[in-house]
């Protein structure tokens, strides 16, 4: 059982011992620290925080703890109930709120939950703000409100609809072309809030929808990370239904992947590549993704005359570099689309609308669209962390081993070879070292990853 306290939020497994897991006491502790931080940002009479959650089983319990902690501090709460991460982000901005909390552990299994923390712009906190909250929690000196100054909870369940309206109003969302195309789409909502939001969006776009695992009860029917090995039901259903494509999102709807009409994965890395191709063709500019993302985005960006930049892993790092470079599209290779015209956050819903616009305008099958892009293959492996493993020592040893290659140490160690690359880093969300590789074939990518893992095992005598 695990509790991970990081600048990106508080994530842990439900149950067990206080301080070692995400117990009710820990949920209150870190909600109070966040509330205290919110009040430190501006001195005013009233404060408001937006709170929403995915459909995981522990969500209602954790949300009640968090909301009542905030009102105990004199902060008003706008309760979105079942929602999505990008919807909460949009709501913070539209409500002119002081911050937001999404209760979700993203792609982690059902025993996990987390407090994802937002600033007043509806964006994830930067490192300095995250550290301030951790320091407040450690000091345990939060002041709560007196009885006449308690906050209030107001329910607003309209924000998924409002979020969709904001998407439909975007210039590059071609509603007419999508409706005319007559798409039939299978949706895997992994029994979370994607099962609510994605069908609503598709219906608004005039798309025929076949629902698969769209009951928001938190009983994930498969591992919720949208990878090929977890999506056999979706792939089979696309073929059985003679659908044009399949769509899958993670439990909080900030990661997006597609299945083509032949029941094959479009490639999670290529979600951003395809959407960027469409956006850049209509609004030339620059792009950003993180260091663990495919080189294909660089290739597509250069095709359109733009410049590609890579950030450290983490949404806030991508967003900061996008703002710095005024990028017109960006995100993460795990299927996270960040389209600044709407907001600075990974958003599967806007990704779906832009992808379908691209597909409709080109009037090609999904498999044909995928064939237009450079073919790179990735391997994503991991090593479980144990107390005796010296992660920093491992990374330094690997850096020294490959000192003759192009090395980037902004986030872990990335080694760029002429035909492939490997990126090693400690995860922010799980007790693991991630080992990502990319090459011109799957066999080459897997071979490189296994070679690196063997070298690490030699270093630590595993």
């Amino acid at each position: 059982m695990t509790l991970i306290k990081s600048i990106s939020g508080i994530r842990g497994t439900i149950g067990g011992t206080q301080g070692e897991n995400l117990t009710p006491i820990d949920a209150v502790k870190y909600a109070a620290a966040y509330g205290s931080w919110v009040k430190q940002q501006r001195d005013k009479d009233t404060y408001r925080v937006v709170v929403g959650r995915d459909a995981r089983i522990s969500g209602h319990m954790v949300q009640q703890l968090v909301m009542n902690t905030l009102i105990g501090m004199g902060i008003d709460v706008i309760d979105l109930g079942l929602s999505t991460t990008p919807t909460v982000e949009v709501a913070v901005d539209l409500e002119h709120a002081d911050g937001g909390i999404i209760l979700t552990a993203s792609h982690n299994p059902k025993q996990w939950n987390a407090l994802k923390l937002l600033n007043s712009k509806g964006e994830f906190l930067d490192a300095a703000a995250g550290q301030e909250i951790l320091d407040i929690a450690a000091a345990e000196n939060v002041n709560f409100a007196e009885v006449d100054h308690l906050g209030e909870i107001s329910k607003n369940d309209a924000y998924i609809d409002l979020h969709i309206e904001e998407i439909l109003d975007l210039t590059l969302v071609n509603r007419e072309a999508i409706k005319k195309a007559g798409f039939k789409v299978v949706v895997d909502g992994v029994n979370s809030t994607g099962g609510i939001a994605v069908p609503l969006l598709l219906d608004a776009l005039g798309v025929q929808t076949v629902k698969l695992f769209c009951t928001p009860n938190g009983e994930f029917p498969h591992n919720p990370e949208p990878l090929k090995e977890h999506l056999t039901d979706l792939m089979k259903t696309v073929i059985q239904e003679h659908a044009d494509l399949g769509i899958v999102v993670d439990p909080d709807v900030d990661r997006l992947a597609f299945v083509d009409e032949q029941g094959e994965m479009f490639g999670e890395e290529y979600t951003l590549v395809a959407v960027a191709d469409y956006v850049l063709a209509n609004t030339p500019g620059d792009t950003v993704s993180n260091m663990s993302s495919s080189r294909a985005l660089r290739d597509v960006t250069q095709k359109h005359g733009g410049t590609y930049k890579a950030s450290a892993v983490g949404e806030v790092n991508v967003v900061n570099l996008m703002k710095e470079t005024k990028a017109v599209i960006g995100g993460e290779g795990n299927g996270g689309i960040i389209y600044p015209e709407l907001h600075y956050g990974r958003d599967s819903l806007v990704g779906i609308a832009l992808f379908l616009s691209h597909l409709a305008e080109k009037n090609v099958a999904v498999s044909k669209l995928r064939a237009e892009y450079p073919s790179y293959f990735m391997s994503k492996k991991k090593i479980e962390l144990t107390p005796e493993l010296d992660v920093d020592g491992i990374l330094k040893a690997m850096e020294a081993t490959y000192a003759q290659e192009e090395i980037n140490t902004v986030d872990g160690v990335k080694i760029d070879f002429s035909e492939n690359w490997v990126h090693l880093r400690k995860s922010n969300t799980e007790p693991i070292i991630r080992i990502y590789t990319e090459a011109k074939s799957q066999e080459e990518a897997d071979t490189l990853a296994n070679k690196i893992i063997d070298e690490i095992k030699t270093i630590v005598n595993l």
Side-chain angles (χ1 to χ4, degrees):
M1 307 297 274
T2 307
L3 182 67
I4 300 174
K5 297 167 283 187
S6 75
I7 59 172
S8 59
I10 309 303
R11 183 179 300 239
T13 45
I14 297 298
T17 306
Q18 176 193 351
E20 297 178 5
N21 311 273
L22 186 57
T23 68
I25 293 173
D26 294 291
V28 169
K29 176 180 178 179
Y30 290 101
Y34 173 74
S36 182
W37 176 83
V38 164
K39 296 175 78 171
Q40 289 174 10
Q41 302 314 296
R42 289 179 62 191
D43 183 12
K44 57 181 192 172
D45 293 333
T46 61
Y47 300 87
R48 293 191 303 159
V49 169
V50 178
V51 180
R53 64 182 174 91
D54 70 13
R56 62 186 63 232
I57 296 166
S58 62
H60 179 74
M61 174 195 73
V62 176
Q63 183 172 7
Q64 294 303 311
L65 291 164
V66 166
M67 292 195 305
N68 283 290
T69 299
L70 293 174
I71 65 171
M73 300 184 71
I75 296 172
D76 293 330
V77 173
I78 303 167
D79 172 15
L80 303 194
L82 287 172
S83 192
T84 77
T85 286
T87 302
V88 175
E89 293 170 346
V90 167
V92 170
D93 183 48
L94 292 179
E95 289 283 345
H96 304 289
D98 298 287
I101 300 178
I102 309 110
L103 304 167
T104 174
S106 299
H107 60 274
N108 290 123
K110 69 177 184 179
Q111 64 266 33
W112 289 76
N113 213 327
L115 282 65
K116 287 186 175 182
L117 309 176
L118 304 175
N119 62 21
S120 60
K121 297 177 182 178
E123 299 167 10
F124 284 109
L125 304 183
D126 62 20
Q131 188 58 54
E132 286 176 22
I133 291 168
L134 294 179
D135 291 343
I136 292 169
E140 297 186 344
N141 59 353
V142 174
N143 290 317
F144 290 88
E146 295 181 4
V147 68
D148 291 328
H149 302 288
L150 297 175
E152 296 181 349
I153 298 175
S154 59
K155 181 83 173 172
N156 189 331
D157 57 7
Y159 261 103
I160 289 178
D161 291 323
L162 292 172
H163 182 188
I164 289 171
E165 288 179 13
E166 293 285 312
I167 292 169
L168 298 179
D169 285 341
L170 292 169
T171 302
L172 291 192
V173 174
N174 193 335
R175 300 172 67 179
E176 184 178 339
I178 293 170
K179 186 174 182 179
K180 185 178 178 181
F183 293 126
K184 182 178 184 181
V185 176
V186 181
V187 176
D188 180 350
V190 74
N191 284 344
S192 190
T193 49
I196 301 171
V198 176
L200 284 173
L201 171 66
L202 294 176
D203 183 62
L205 290 169
V207 174
Q208 181 183 353
T209 305
V210 178
K211 295 181 182 181
L212 180 69
F213 309 133
C214 285
T215 303
N217 57 18
E219 294 288 356
F220 304 146
H222 54 75
N223 185 308
E225 189 165 12
L227 302 177
K228 179 178 181 178
E229 56 267 31
H230 307 148
L231 302 177
T232 53
D233 288 327
L234 175 62
M235 296 160 79
K236 290 176 183 176
T237 305
V238 167
I239 295 172
Q240 291 168 356
E241 292 287 338
H242 303 288
D244 295 288
L245 69 153
I247 293 174
V248 62
V249 293
D250 66 339
D252 68 324
V253 199
D254 62 3
R255 289 176 64 174
L256 171 64
F258 299 109
V259 169
D260 72 18
E261 77 285 357
Q262 299 172 3
E264 297 294 330
M265 292 296 295
F266 187 79
E268 194 182 24
E269 289 287 329
Y270 284 82
T271 300
L272 175 57
V273 173
V275 172
D277 186 27
Y278 175 65
V279 171
L280 292 169
N282 289 278
T283 51
D286 299 335
T287 66
V288 171
S289 65
N290 68 41
M291 292 167 58
S292 284
S293 301
S294 174
R295 283 180 177 175
L297 180 60
R298 176 202 64 183
D299 296 349
V300 166
T301 305
Q302 291 174 350
K303 178 187 78 172
H304 289 286
T307 300
Y308 164 77
K309 298 280 188 181
S311 76
V313 173
E315 183 171 323
V316 66
N317 298 316
V318 177
V319 166
N320 287 341
L321 189 54
M322 288 181 69
K323 289 179 177 180
E324 182 183 321
T325 60
K326 297 181 171 58
V328 296
I329 184 74
E332 297 187 290
N334 60 12
I337 304 294
I338 301 175
Y339 186 48
E341 194 70 19
L342 182 65
H343 68 117
Y344 277 107
R346 290 183 302 170
D347 190 331
S348 295
L349 300 182
V350 77
I352 290 167
L354 293 171
F355 183 86
L356 291 179
S357 298
H358 188 31
L359 194 64
E361 289 186 12
K362 289 186 75 71
N363 192 27
V364 296
V366 175
S367 61
K368 295 291 186 184
L369 180 64
R370 173 63 183 84
E372 294 182 9
Y373 300 121
S375 284
Y376 295 103
F377 297 83
M378 294 190 77
S379 175
K380 299 182 179 183
K381 297 184 182 291
K382 57 190 177 183
I383 295 176
E384 300 287 339
L385 290 182
T386 57
E388 63 271 15
L389 284 182
D390 177 9
V391 177
D392 291 336
I394 291 170
L395 297 180
K396 286 185 180 298
M398 296 304 294
E399 181 184 353
T401 300
Y402 291 97
Q404 75 279 10
E405 305 293 344
E406 183 180 340
I407 302 286
N408 187 325
T409 57
V410 168
D411 182 12
V413 175
K414 184 172 184 180
I415 307 163
D416 263 298
F417 305 99
S418 59
E419 295 295 323
N420 49 44
W421 56 259
V422 59
H423 187 197
L424 302 93
R425 58 181 293 274
K426 185 178 179 180
S427 171
N428 291 328
T429 58
E430 298 177 74
I432 58 175
I433 298 175
R434 296 192 185 278
I435 299 125
Y436 285 9
T437 61
E438 183 174 67
K440 292 291 182 69
S441 72
Q442 191 63 57
E443 182 181 3
E444 185 182 349
D446 291 337
T447 298
L448 177 58
N450 291 331
K451 175 176 179 287
I452 295 295
I453 290 172
D454 289 340
E455 290 175 355
I456 291 173
K457 288 181 177 179
T458 299
I459 291 168
V460 298
N461 296 316
L462 288 179

